[in-house]
Amino acid sequence: MAQPQVDFGAAVMPPPVDIVKVAIEWPGANAQLIEMDQKRPLSSIIREVCDGWSLSGSEQFALRYADGPQLYITEQSRGEIKNGTILRLAISPGRAARQLLERIQSHGIDARLEALKELAKLSADPTFATEFINMEGIGTLARLVESGTHFGEMLAFTLTAFLELMDHSIVSWDLISLSFIKQIAGYVNQPMVDVSILQRSLAILESMVLNSHSLYHRVAQEITVGQLIGHLSNQEIQTYAIALINALFLKAPEDRRQEECTNPLEQHLTEMASTLAQKHLRSIILNHVIRGNRPIKAEMAHQLYVLQVLTFNLLEERMMTKMDPNDQTQRDVIFELRRIAFDGENDPTGTEKRKAMYTKDYKMLGFTNHVNPAMDFTQTPPGMLALDNMLYLAKVHQDTYIRIVLENSSREDKHECPFGRCAIELTRMLCEILQVGELPNEGCNDYHPMFFTHDRAWEEFFCVCIQLLNKTWKEMRATAEDFNKVMQVVREQITRALAMKPSSLDQLKNKLRGLNYSEILRLRQSERMSQDDFQSPPIIELRERIQPEILELIKQQRLNRLCEGSCFRKLGNRRRQEKFWFCRLSLNHKVLHYGDLDESPQGEVPFELLSDKIPVSDIKSVVTGKDCPHMKEKSALKQNKEVLELAFSVLYDPDETLNFVAPNKYEYCIWTDGLCALLGREMGSDLTRSDLDTLISMEMKLRLLDLENITIPEAPPPVPKEPSSYNFTYNYS
């Protein structure tokens, strides 16, 4: 009998693309290991699984993930199932919603509490949420809250479930009743309320304000900023309180911010504008948040940044207001500037003499238009804001103002610094640097602690910078022709100082003192040397020889960082209830492991906790920015430049994507570089270019050190013999 021939050289066929191997669990039974055909209807697969455990009524069951958020699997989401995934057979979302709805309306307190606890967890699942909402579940929860009969844990779970359900945007926030709003506002206004209830109440009010124009008006009538300030001293809820303050001001009707207050809502807006600038709010944030005994987390940093932006945006109206040359009140401010500067001089009685003297004084004050300086303030920005700054300096820091004006007006060598022109241009520059009038960026945490240390932080910042400008002008021995050059140096001094995050205005002065003109020149020269150094042909050839070694070094560093892994934030409707996921590369550089986390991790996350994985061999490409699938889907995020710049996606077989939004620019560069290195492509990030320039420059300088008359040994020097005793060591005890 002929033996069958086996071709050991035949290629092993890969498993079909539509087949995934999974394990399915059921309480009290052995798990089933099945090959799930993704082409088969999900109901057919569930029926087969139920038959394996002799369970009838397969239409009453569904599949859920066993790990992580344990979401229900639908025909739309089943494509995300990977080989090796552990699933769980569970009652269907419709059946679960019906049972929970019945239990939360039962008379037994314990049964109701357990039902609400389970509901709070399941409400994050969009499939379950749709079923529960279709059964009028949100109305039921709203009535439970309005009844005022729930307290403690039961109320906290009710509010959590309500917020999770509303966050799916299945129903409109406009359907919420006034009695519900009053009840939620009542929890915020009560002096003794459980922290968990306060957190959820503040989050619900914030979502109302951000998602509904009509609800903004209702919330604004129930909650005052003054009431919210009282919650800032509580570290558990201060982030929620600041977020609601920001939301109320951010969504205030634009056309009503600048009108006279003729109704309660407009009075509320005026109160908010004054509250943002008042000492009480600033001092509480400074003492209980910025200088508190807890480190500031990313969400709090973002809310402080938003508050900073909104506070500076109160200057926008003055920044965009032109001066009316015929308005006597506005002209009187210019007269006041002249009077303070030249108070000791006699005022001539004749009109012509007075006019001639005023023209001379306005020239000494540094205005471009000596005859009618009001014309200098007709350009926006900075508009009237520049005049406000000048008047503040003249009245609050009178000695400094007089010194600057007289010091420059008495010079005859064309090196005088024109105060008026400088103050106007400086105001415009500060508005650009601090982005006055622009909306906050979603992904930005760039707040400056020093702006929370003074009631008139903007004006004091201007006063510090105008003195810097005057000092830099003298250091540069500038003339009128050098005006733009001086302003460029001053901008660089200010931006470099702000990047150091000074904690107070005094620290800012110290930073600026160290950034004098000579230091700026030195820094520029150093940076230029690192870019333009070594241009001779032999040096260029050496650079080309070194570059591959340095690129390989950078590549290894990037891959090592990917092996350590990074935590990424899931984009959602509410920042405070943040959800995280972690991704890291296997040590053999062959697999990307990733999975959801309940909270941001401290240090590395073991591979065992990351349930999903992607073979590197399956990765087809890496796309960034607006080309990312999740940026195309989320139109609101697409408009956000900050988020767009940090987004990237991994495209892998068959047609799947893994979407990322990096926590910062550094992590974005590390991951995009590392993924490109894995695919054998060029690492093209700004960080790679910077690292390459720095390392090549260092390596070349080391190789080109002057070694004249220094003998370099062929072999390393011998290691000295071990000493006979260690009695010479110092005993620190």
Side-chain angles (χ1 to χ4, degrees):
M1 181 177 180
Q3 296 294 322
Q5 299 295 315
V6 179
D7 184 5
F8 290 97
V12 178
M13 295 297 293
V17 174
D18 297 317
I19 301 296
V20 288
K21 297 181 179 181
V22 299
I24 303 179
E25 299 176 336
W26 175 255
N30 293 327
Q32 295 187 36
L33 303 178
I34 69 168
E35 293 186 351
M36 181 183 290
D37 187 350
Q38 295 287 47
K39 291 182 178 179
R40 285 178 61 192
L42 202 56
S43 57
S44 172
I45 296 172
I46 294 172
R47 187 183 309 113
E48 183 180 304
V49 171
C50 288
D51 291 343
W53 283 313
S54 302
L55 298 173
S56 59
S58 62
E59 66 279 358
Q60 297 294 321
F61 292 92
L63 293 176
R64 292 171 61 185
Y65 288 100
D67 302 316
Q70 301 181 4
L71 299 177
Y72 278 103
I73 294 167
T74 64
E75 291 289 355
Q76 292 73 32
S77 65
R78 63 186 296 180
E80 299 174 8
I81 301 174
K82 306 293 186 297
N83 279 314
T85 302
I86 301 176
L87 306 179
R88 179 174 296 158
L89 187 68
I91 61 173
S92 66
R95 183 180 171 190
R98 194 178 312 106
Q99 289 180 357
L100 286 175
L101 199 56
E102 293 171 358
R103 287 164 59 195
I104 63 176
Q105 297 178 84
S106 65
H107 297 292
I109 294 178
D110 292 339
R112 194 184 307 173
L113 178 61
E114 285 302 314
L116 288 168
K117 185 176 181 179
E118 188 175 346
L119 177 63
K121 183 178 179 181
L122 277 174
S123 295
D125 188 306
T127 308
F128 170 84
T130 303
E131 296 288 346
F132 190 81
I133 290 171
N134 289 339
M135 297 176 187
E136 303 297 328
I138 284 184
T140 302
L141 293 179
R143 287 190 292 274
L144 290 176
V145 174
E146 291 169 12
S147 68
T149 57
H150 283 54
F151 304 97
E153 262 193 319
M154 192 174 292
L155 178 57
F157 287 132
T158 304
L159 296 179
T160 301
F162 178 86
L163 191 54
E164 290 284 1
L165 291 166
M166 292 301 296
D167 270 351
H168 293 293
S169 302
I170 298 172
V171 294
S172 170
W173 282 90
D174 290 320
L175 300 176
I176 303 303
S177 67
L178 181 58
S179 59
F180 181 84
I181 297 173
K182 287 181 176 292
Q183 190 67 36
I184 297 296
Y187 298 137
V188 174
N189 295 331
Q190 288 176 18
M192 298 296 291
V193 178
D194 186 74
V195 168
S196 59
I197 295 172
L198 264 177
Q199 289 176 340
R200 288 153 180 79
S201 298
L202 289 166
I204 289 172
L205 292 173
E206 182 198 359
S207 294
M208 288 179 182
V209 170
L210 293 176
N211 290 288
S212 170
H213 180 71
S214 61
L215 290 189
Y216 160 80
H217 295 273
R218 295 179 179 179
V219 173
Q221 291 169 355
E222 297 294 330
I223 296 288
T224 65
V225 178
Q227 291 167 327
L228 295 174
I229 290 176
H231 293 301
L232 295 180
S233 57
N234 187 332
Q235 292 181 331
E236 301 295 331
I237 59 174
Q238 54 191 198
T239 305
Y240 296 83
I242 294 180
L244 181 52
I245 292 173
N246 288 338
L248 284 167
F249 193 74
L250 192 61
K251 291 299 179 178
E254 194 68 33
D255 57 339
R256 296 193 179 186
R257 291 187 185 179
Q258 300 170 7
E259 296 177 2
E260 294 183 1
C261 300
T262 56
N263 63 42
L265 177 62
E266 292 177 2
Q267 291 172 3
H268 171 77
L269 297 180
T270 301
E271 180 220 349
M272 289 195 63
S274 61
T275 300
L276 285 179
Q278 70 176 253
K279 181 177 181 179
H280 189 44
L281 174 62
R282 179 195 63 76
S283 62
I284 287 182
I285 289 176
L286 179 65
N287 295 322
H288 293 279
V289 180
I290 297 175
R291 294 177 180 172
N293 54 14
R294 287 188 180 183
I296 293 179
K297 295 184 179 179
E299 174 55 25
M300 176 58 84
H302 174 74
Q303 294 301 338
L304 291 173
Y305 154 77
V306 172
L307 185 60
Q308 173 185 288
V309 170
L310 296 178
T311 303
F312 284 143
N313 282 356
L314 295 173
L315 305 168
E316 184 181 11
E317 180 186 356
R318 295 293 285 172
M319 180 182 76
M320 300 307 295
T321 300
K322 297 181 180 181
M323 186 171 187
D324 182 0
N326 299 316
D327 188 321
Q328 188 59 42
T329 304
Q330 295 179 4
R331 290 166 64 92
D332 286 344
V333 176
I334 299 178
F335 293 152
E336 181 68 5
L337 289 174
R338 180 210 152 275
R339 185 195 66 77
I340 295 173
F342 310 110
D343 192 22
E345 302 183 9
N346 294 325
D347 195 5
T349 54
T351 304
E352 291 300 321
K353 289 183 179 180
R354 186 184 300 114
K355 185 175 181 181
M357 187 170 196
Y358 282 2
T359 300
K360 178 185 175 183
D361 289 347
Y362 292 146
K363 183 178 181 180
M364 293 171 69
L365 277 170
F367 288 113
T368 304
N369 192 318
H370 309 150
V371 178
N372 185 6
M375 300 302 296
D376 286 15
F377 300 96
T378 55
Q379 186 176 356
T380 58
M384 291 295 290
L385 184 59
L387 187 60
D388 296 341
N389 287 342
M390 294 165 72
L391 184 63
Y392 181 88
L393 175 68
K395 287 194 168 184
V396 179
H397 300 279
Q398 194 170 110
D399 292 343
T400 301
Y401 168 70
I402 294 173
R403 177 178 56 79
I404 291 175
V405 172
L406 297 184
E407 185 180 89
N408 289 285
S409 62
S410 60
R411 302 184 69 166
E412 299 292 340
D413 56 1
K414 296 184 180 180
H415 289 288
E416 68 275 5
C417 176
F419 170 73
R421 183 184 177 192
C422 287
I424 293 170
E425 188 58 35
L426 178 64
T427 302
R428 183 188 353 262
M429 180 198 297
L430 297 183
C431 289
E432 291 174 359
I433 291 173
L434 297 176
Q435 301 179 331
V436 175
E438 297 186 17
L439 289 176
N441 286 322
E442 171 68 19
C444 187
N445 301 337
D446 188 24
Y447 78 98
H448 295 278
M450 71 175 184
F451 290 127
F452 294 88
T453 63
H454 200 284
D455 298 333
R456 304 293 294 272
W458 165 264
E459 291 85 351
E460 289 293 323
F461 183 48
F462 169 83
C463 293
V464 171
C465 293
I466 194 69
Q467 293 177 73
L468 169 72
L469 196 160
N470 186 59
K471 174 173 169 285
T472 303
W473 186 284
K474 289 188 290 185
E475 291 173 348
M476 294 177 67
R477 290 193 55 78
T479 63
E481 289 76 18
D482 301 318
F483 184 84
N484 290 333
K485 292 180 182 177
V486 176
M487 297 308 297
Q488 289 173 5
V489 173
V490 171
R491 176 187 280 270
E492 188 172 344
Q493 290 171 315
I494 295 170
T495 52
R496 285 181 184 271
L498 286 177
M500 299 178 198
K501 287 288 189 295
S503 60
S504 66
L505 289 164
D506 287 336
Q507 275 200 17
L508 173 68
K509 293 176 186 176
N510 291 332
K511 303 290 185 189
L512 291 173
R513 204 171 291 124
L515 288 168
N516 54 35
Y517 180 53
S518 298
E519 178 64 11
I520 293 296
L521 286 180
R522 190 193 67 78
L523 290 170
R524 286 180 173 180
Q525 179 69 14
S526 175
E527 292 167 0
R528 193 179 299 117
M529 286 286 290
S530 66
Q531 296 171 1
D532 304 329
D533 227 0
F534 312 129
Q535 294 302 313
S536 64
I539 301 300
I540 292 174
E541 183 181 348
L542 177 60
R543 182 186 182 93
E544 290 173 352
R545 288 187 181 184
I546 293 174
Q547 184 163 317
E549 301 174 23
I550 302 299
L551 280 173
E552 183 62 27
L553 185 66
I554 294 172
K555 174 183 174 182
Q556 291 305 318
Q557 187 270 339
R558 301 294 193 263
L559 294 176
N560 288 341
R561 277 287 291 107
L562 263 61
C563 290
E564 293 173 11
S566 297
C567 181
F568 300 91
R569 182 171 61 86
K570 286 192 171 184
L571 294 174
N573 296 329
R574 282 178 292 121
R575 295 176 58 97
R576 271 151 314 293
Q577 191 167 348
E578 289 191 320
K579 297 180 180 178
F580 301 92
W581 66 286
F582 197 88
C583 186
R584 62 182 296 196
L585 178 66
S586 63
L587 299 180
N588 61 6
H589 300 174
K590 292 186 177 181
V591 179
L592 275 179
H593 296 264
Y594 66 97
D596 294 333
L597 301 175
D598 294 330
E599 58 184 17
S600 182
Q602 302 296 324
E604 287 187 6
V605 175
F607 290 110
E608 297 76 26
L609 298 181
L610 305 176
S611 56
D612 300 308
K613 58 185 178 181
I614 301 172
V616 172
S617 59
D618 287 352
I619 298 177
K620 295 188 289 187
S621 64
V622 178
V623 295
T624 60
K626 63 182 180 181
D627 296 325
C628 297
H630 56 318
M631 291 296 103
K632 294 176 181 177
E633 295 168 4
K634 298 180 182 290
S635 58
L637 293 175
K638 188 178 178 182
Q639 298 169 5
N640 191 320
K641 181 181 177 182
E642 198 79 27
V643 173
L644 200 61
E645 290 177 349
L646 299 176
F648 61 98
S649 296
V650 171
L651 308 183
Y652 61 98
D653 289 333
D655 289 306
E656 303 291 340
T657 62
L658 183 62
N659 300 316
F660 299 74
V661 175
N664 50 55
K665 189 67 176 177
Y666 176 79
E667 289 291 334
Y668 170 85
C669 293
I670 288 290
W671 275 85
T672 51
D673 283 344
L675 292 169
C676 287
L678 281 174
L679 300 178
R681 297 173 188 170
E682 182 182 352
M683 299 179 293
S685 74
D686 295 339
L687 184 62
T688 291
R689 287 191 288 272
S690 173
D691 287 350
L692 184 63
D693 289 342
T694 301
L695 293 172
I696 285 181
S697 176
M698 290 173 58
E699 182 67 19
M700 292 181 70
K701 287 175 182 177
L702 286 172
R703 295 195 184 192
L704 295 172
L705 281 174
D706 185 7
L707 299 178
E708 188 177 354
N709 299 324
I710 299 176
T711 303
I712 301 177
E714 295 294 332
V719 178
K721 291 182 179 180
E722 188 174 343
S724 58
S725 70
Y726 290 89
N727 296 333
F728 56 86
T729 58
Y730 183 78
N731 188 350
Y732 288 92
S733 60

